Amino acid sequence: LGLGISHLRSRAALALSESRLRAAQRIARIGHYHFTPASNLWTSSAELDEIFGITQTYDHTANGWLALIHNDD
């Protein structure tokens, strides 16, 4: 029983932390992403998707990432 309560508290704390991160990213207009070279795929936060004007169905490969970057950058 004690482990179950501890687990629930941990999950609640994690959910609160994630909620605060999303709010901070929204306010600051920043996002984050993670690239996994082995799979050639990246994942991104909802805020970063909004900044780039993409959806979850966008091509999340290295080529898709490069298509988002302006040639002069």
Side-chain angles (χ1 to χ4, degrees), residues 3-48:
L3 289 177
I5 292 172
S6 177
H7 179 73
L8 290 176
R9 286 182 181 154
S10 294
R11 289 183 61 152
L14 177 60
L16 179 60
S17 177
E18 289 174 342
S19 174
R20 288 176 175 164
L21 173 62
R22 285 189 302 275
Q25 288 182 342
R26 185 180 65 253
I27 292 165
R29 293 290 297 156
I30 60 173
H32 68 273
Y33 73 97
H34 177 79
F35 178 66
T36 306
S39 66
N40 191 41
L41 295 174
W42 54 279
T43 57
S44 52
S45 64
E47 187 64 27
L48 189 64

Side-chain angles (χ1 to χ4, degrees), residues 33-43 52 54 58-70:
Y33 73 97
H34 177 79
F35 178 66
T36 306
S39 66
N40 191 41
L41 295 174
W42 54 279
T43 57
F52 283 138
I54 62 174
Y58 184 81
D59 178 23
H60 282 75
T61 64
N63 287 336
W65 178 260
L66 292 175
L68 294 170
I69 309 302
H70 190 276

